[in-house]
Every structure is written in structure tokens, then in C-alpha cells.
Amino acid sequence: MHRAVIHLNDAAPEKTQTVLQNTANLLAALGPETQVELITHGPGIAVATAPAAEELTTQLTGLLAAGVTLCVCQNTMAARRLTPTDIHPQAVVVASGVAHLVTRQSEGWSYLHP
Amino acid sequence: MHRAVIHLNDAAPEKTQTVLQNTANLLAALGPETQVELITHGPGIAVATAPAAEELTTQLTGLLAAGVTLCVCQNTMAARRLTPTDIHPQAVVVASGVAHLVTRQSEGWSYLHP
Amino acid sequence: MHRAVIHLNDAAPEKTQTVLQNTANLLAALGPETQVELITHGPGIAVATAPAAEELTTQLTGLLAAGVTLCVCQNTMAARRLTPTDIHPQAVVVASGVAHLVTRQSEGWSYLHP
């Protein structure tokens, strides 16, 4: 079984859309038991704050339904004065996005930054 | 012996040139027995489709002669309606570029995204 | 204990500032015994050449005091005709930035390219 963290620290809608599509392709290729965490921090947190563009929301909803975990960085939330009510209800808050990316790799997860 | 996957998902000629140069420097530093796969997907497939700028072609030819494997993503080929005849004859087609990047890391390969 | 290499190959001050901030956040989250190498090559060497913007210098000084290692690529120095006197006195010169990133991962270090 494969495990991968995907790094998103960019808010541009086209970039975000690409990363979500890459994530969908990854799952399709490696199978539904693959563990994937989409880890957002800095500007990348935009994908987890409402309202997003409708197309992105649809893509994200599909990934969450397929078992992808959406992680948001608490440091970023604090810097932007965001509270849990500002964040996607299915998002998981991690203390630090970059630390989570490092920790997961030390546990054997692969890293992708599209 | 070192093994590395290099991630290319950008079509800009300057970026591509940089990635090819980074790959050449990597081989020069780690020695000719190093295994390197240049994994292209999305816009990054441009380096593997003809015609490319002459300077890029020369760089790529040198890397292939030095044993680098050029991988192209079948998902990207399908999305762009590219057939094998559109692709560099020495390229290796992988089912999914992102999945290949994850799989290689799980096999112990290092990851670089310049 | 965590070990991470952070890849910087961009000279843009905003990007550099972000990477330095990410590095500080990483250390704060994982603890002071964490080993972090900031590996610069290509345009990213700018952070290690004087004079830099004052804000970047302050950030970098703080990271070095916290135990982060600043690595600069000898290939890049040669290509830009830089000598050790052009480089931050605390910087460590590595033969090849990309090779060092690969080698560290093969030794179990995590990789981040913000």
C-alpha cells in the first residue's frame, strides 16, 4: 500500500486545480487503498477556505469522498486569524504544515510537490 | 549507488533547460552508475515531444546517452491526444507520472523537483 | 530526531523570505534538536551572497543561530565566478547542491521544496 503527502502552498486557482487533478490521477493509478494527505499551508490554505471556485469545490469534494485527507496548517490559520469555522468542515488541522510533511516522510510516506 | 527521480511538470524552455542542467550536474557529481529518471507529466511532457528547441534537444540527447531514463505520463498523452509517434523514441511511457514518482520513492529513490 | 533538507533554487526575495519563514516554523514545531540543512543552488545562492535585503539577513542570522546549516553549491559558485569571500562566512560549500539533496535523502533525511 502506498502513502503520499502532497504539498500545496500556492493559492492560484489554476495551480490548485492542477494539484487536485494530480491527486485524483494518483489515486486512480495506485488504487483506492492508497493513503493520500493533501497538506496545505501559507497561501495554499485557500483551497480549504470558503468560498472557493465551484469547480475546485467539486474536485475537492470528490477527493474527500475518495478518502484523501485535507490538512491545514495551524500556523497559517493563526497568521491569517482564521478560526475552524473559516475552514472546510472535513479538514484536519495540523500544528505545522511543513513539520507534518517532514514527519510523514520520516514515517515512510512519499512526497510530491506538483 | 544513488537513485533519483526528477520531477518535471513545466513546459517553459528556461525551466526545462535548468532541470536538464541540474540532471547533468547530478550525474557528474554522483557518478555514471547513478540511476536517474526524469519523470514528465502535464505541461512537462513538452521536453519529450518534437520539435523542441535545438539547445534542449542537445541537452536531452546527452542525458539519454549518459543513461538517464526519460519517462512520459500516459495520462498526459491521453489528455493531449498524443500517440507514441509524437513522443521521443527513447522515452519510456509510464501509466501515471505522479504515481511513478510515489512508487519510486517507496522503493528508496530520492526525489527532486528543481 | 528529525532531519530535513530544504531546497532553495529561487532568488526572488519574497520566495526566499517564505522559505526562511517555513524553515523557522519547521524548527519551532519539531524542536531545537532537529537537523535542518538549507541547500541553495542556481539563483537560490543569492540568499548566501552579500549584500542581501536587511530583513532576509535578520531571518537568516536567526536560523543559523538556531543551528540550521546553510549549504551553497560549488557548481553554482564556479558558474558565477564566486569565491568563498563572496559567500556568507557561515555557509558550508557542497560540491553539488542537487547531489547533496539526493544523498541526504538516501541517508533518511526528509525533503521539502516550499
Side-chain angles (χ1 to χ4, degrees):
Chain A
M1 190 198 58
H2 289 288
R3 300 174 297 169
V5 284
I6 300 182
H7 190 171
L8 176 59
N9 61 343
D10 193 314
E14 324 79 57
K15 180 71 181 179
T16 304
Q17 190 177 352
T18 295
V19 171
L20 297 180
Q21 185 62 51
N22 291 160
T23 305
N25 287 344
L26 180 67
L27 269 179
L30 294 181
E33 76 288 359
T34 305
Q35 285 185 271
V36 177
E37 291 182 345
L38 180 63
I39 300 179
T40 69
H41 69 98
I45 201 172
V47 74
T49 57
E54 191 178 338
E55 187 169 356
L56 291 182
T57 302
T58 303
Q59 278 186 295
L60 181 60
T61 301
L63 291 175
L64 293 168
V68 171
T69 302
L70 171 66
C71 296
V72 299
C73 171
Q74 197 161 44
N75 284 337
T76 302
M77 288 176 65
R80 295 170 186 236
R81 302 183 183 282
L82 297 170
T83 67
T85 59
D86 300 313
I87 299 293
H88 193 289
Q90 287 177 260
V92 172
V93 178
V94 297
S96 158
V98 287
H100 195 67
L101 286 162
V102 166
T103 301
R104 281 307 197 202
Q105 288 179 73
S106 73
E107 295 167 353
W109 295 52
S110 300
Y111 171 89
L112 274 187
H113 192 164
Chain B
M1 191 199 58
H2 290 288
R3 299 174 298 169
V5 284
I6 300 183
H7 190 172
L8 176 59
N9 61 343
D10 194 313
E14 324 79 58
K15 181 69 180 181
T16 304
Q17 191 176 353
T18 296
V19 172
L20 297 180
Q21 185 62 51
N22 291 160
T23 304
N25 288 344
L26 180 67
L27 269 180
L30 295 181
E33 75 288 358
T34 306
Q35 285 185 270
V36 177
E37 292 183 344
L38 180 64
I39 300 178
T40 69
H41 69 99
I45 201 172
V47 74
T49 57
E54 190 178 340
E55 187 168 356
L56 292 182
T57 301
T58 303
Q59 279 186 293
L60 181 60
T61 301
L63 292 175
L64 293 169
V68 171
T69 301
L70 172 65
C71 297
V72 299
C73 171
Q74 198 162 42
N75 284 337
T76 303
M77 288 176 65
R80 295 170 186 238
R81 302 183 182 284
L82 297 170
T83 66
T85 59
D86 299 313
I87 299 294
H88 194 290
Q90 287 177 262
V92 173
V93 178
V94 297
S96 159
V98 288
H100 195 67
L101 286 162
V102 166
T103 301
R104 283 306 197 203
Q105 288 179 74
S106 73
E107 295 168 352
W109 295 51
S110 300
Y111 171 89
L112 274 186
H113 192 164
Chain C
M1 190 198 58
H2 290 287
R3 300 174 297 169
V5 285
I6 299 181
H7 190 172
L8 177 59
N9 61 343
D10 194 313
E14 324 79 58
K15 181 70 181 180
T16 304
Q17 190 177 352
T18 295
V19 172
L20 297 180
Q21 185 62 51
N22 291 160
T23 304
N25 288 343
L26 180 67
L27 269 179
L30 294 181
E33 76 288 359
T34 305
Q35 284 185 271
V36 178
E37 292 182 344
L38 180 63
I39 300 179
T40 69
H41 69 99
I45 201 173
V47 74
T49 56
E54 190 178 339
E55 187 168 355
L56 291 182
T57 302
T58 303
Q59 278 186 295
L60 181 60
T61 301
L63 291 175
L64 293 168
V68 171
T69 301
L70 172 65
C71 296
V72 299
C73 171
Q74 198 161 41
N75 285 337
T76 303
M77 288 176 64
R80 295 170 187 237
R81 302 184 183 283
L82 297 171
T83 67
T85 59
D86 299 314
I87 298 293
H88 194 290
Q90 288 177 260
V92 173
V93 178
V94 296
S96 159
V98 287
H100 195 68
L101 286 162
V102 166
T103 302
R104 283 306 198 202
Q105 288 179 74
S106 73
E107 295 167 352
W109 295 52
S110 300
Y111 171 89
L112 274 186
H113 193 164

